[in-house]
Amino acid sequence: FIMKDGDPQQRNEILRSLLSVFPNAIEGSCGWHIVDRGWHSHIRACIAKAYRPHWNKIVKKIHTWIYSWMKPGFVEDPDEYEISKALLIRFICSDVVLRAARNNKALIIDILKFVRSHVFVYEQQYLFYLRKRVKHYAVAHGTQHEGTNTALKEHSAGIKGTMNMDIAAKTIILQSKLKVEELNAMIYRDFSRSDKPWSISPTSKHLLSFAEALLKAVRERTCLYTARRVDKRIFEVSFTPQQAKHAPASTAESSQSKACSVQLKSDEIDKQVTAGDLATTK
């Protein structure tokens, strides 16, 4: 049994590989792509904001109902599956769903079309009872490139699967140029307005907002760490998250008090090291 992603390009590549590597393997499909992504692609519900919470509960119930067919402990044979399908159709056509849809019968028809044309057609790939006795290796694999590829495809100048190598390369170069311009604009904005009222550190006028925010976050957490000397030049650092509840608010006074406490701790450690060196020399 092999479960694959919903990306059509990855799906086609995997299916071609199965014919030569695992010709007897059973194909499975991602339920989230079938239900959630399919719903967003085919259902356009214009529900007023005041009635949207109730409608979202109905949508969640329909999704959970379909997801139950893909999990153990729900439908265990074809008869139970057919009964569950019939009950789902009856629920979609019920007065409860119609009232939640604000008597929009066209929306109910769209949901029925989605379930029958874009969910039921994949039942051989998502039904759990069909694969619960199929042997598998229980191995899942992902790649870090998926996030990068998503950014390339979802970009305003996105890369499409139908592009040849030259056009795809030019598109990547265009994306890089747009990113460089965005970073240059951010740098110019920070250096032209160097004042950062949210930070009293002397480095605030010389660093970008992102870098200064990182340093500020680190400084504010120094009170959560304690150092204990365990050897001549070895210290054990402990983190106590419960102190975060009693940490002072992020104000100028609290920042100064934290800085003073950190300085005192640093001075104490230096004195301990010096005393230890003198004792060793004696």
Side-chain angles (χ1 to χ4, degrees):
F1 175 78
I2 292 183
M3 177 76 72
K4 61 193 180 304
D5 195 1
D7 190 305
Q9 295 180 0
Q10 292 187 14
R11 177 180 180 274
N12 296 335
E13 293 174 359
I14 291 175
L15 290 180
R16 283 195 295 268
S17 301
L18 287 179
L19 296 177
S20 57
V21 181
F22 298 108
N24 297 326
I26 297 177
E27 176 191 359
S29 188
C30 175
W32 180 78
H33 282 90
I34 294 174
V35 180
D36 188 89
R37 295 298 87 191
W39 183 278
H40 282 79
S41 299
H42 299 93
I43 304 299
R44 295 289 183 268
C46 298
I47 306 297
K49 187 176 182 179
Y51 306 102
R52 206 168 298 165
H54 183 53
W55 171 250
N56 291 337
K57 291 181 180 180
I58 296 296
V59 173
K60 184 177 180 180
K61 186 175 185 64
I62 295 175
H63 287 191
T64 305
W65 198 317
I66 300 175
Y67 283 137
S68 68
W69 303 334
M70 310 173 190
K71 301 176 182 179
F74 293 91
V75 293
E76 298 291 341
D77 53 53
D79 293 336
E80 292 184 1
Y81 174 59
E82 292 299 329
I83 294 173
S84 182
K85 278 202 307 183
L87 292 176
L88 175 62
I89 298 298
R90 181 175 296 182
F91 172 72
I92 294 174
C93 299
S94 65
D95 294 337
V96 176
V97 179
L98 184 61
R99 285 195 299 269
R102 310 308 300 166
N103 295 322
N104 187 349
K105 295 183 179 180
L107 179 57
I108 303 299
I109 294 175
D110 288 341
I111 296 175
L112 291 174
K113 289 181 179 178
F114 164 72
V115 172
R116 287 169 173 162
S117 303
H118 301 282
V119 176
F120 293 166
V121 293
Y122 296 109
E123 59 186 18
Q124 295 297 320
Q125 299 180 17
Y126 65 69
L127 284 176
F128 175 77
Y129 77 85
L130 293 179
R131 53 183 169 87
K132 62 181 179 180
R133 293 185 177 87
V134 177
K135 296 181 179 180
H136 56 85
Y137 292 105
V139 174
H141 171 70
T143 173
Q144 296 178 350
H145 294 291
E146 186 171 359
T148 305
N149 295 338
T150 300
L152 291 173
K153 292 185 291 185
E154 300 297 332
H155 196 273
S156 57
I159 297 178
K160 307 302 179 183
T162 55
M163 292 181 176
N164 57 33
M165 188 65 69
D166 294 338
I167 298 178
K170 292 179 180 178
T171 305
I172 293 177
I173 294 173
L174 176 60
Q175 292 183 7
S176 301
K177 290 181 178 179
L178 294 175
K179 188 64 177 180
V180 170
E181 293 298 328
E182 179 184 353
L183 294 176
N184 287 337
M186 182 181 67
I187 294 172
Y188 175 78
R189 181 177 63 252
D190 278 0
F191 275 97
S192 61
R193 299 178 180 176
S194 58
D195 58 318
K196 299 179 179 65
W198 46 270
S199 177
I200 62 172
S201 172
T203 61
S204 62
K205 296 183 179 181
H206 308 284
L207 296 178
L208 298 179
S209 298
F210 181 76
E212 180 62 25
L214 289 178
L215 290 177
K216 184 174 182 293
V218 172
R219 285 194 300 268
E220 291 179 349
R221 289 172 60 87
T222 52
C223 63
L224 305 180
Y225 295 87
T226 56
R228 183 175 66 90
R229 186 176 182 180
V230 296
D231 201 351
K232 181 180 178 180
R233 294 190 178 277
I234 299 177
F235 293 86
E236 182 183 81
V237 180
S238 302
F239 176 68
T240 52
Q242 65 272 14
Q243 294 182 7
K245 299 179 181 178
H246 309 289
S250 177
T251 60
E253 294 181 358
S254 64
S255 299
Q256 290 176 354
S257 64
K258 290 177 183 176
C260 293
S261 63
V262 172
Q263 184 63 37
L264 289 174
K265 289 182 180 180
S266 178
D267 294 341
E268 292 176 359
I269 292 174
D270 292 339
K271 291 179 181 178
Q272 291 178 1
V273 173
T274 304
D277 292 340
L278 291 174
T280 304
T281 304
K282 291 179 181 180

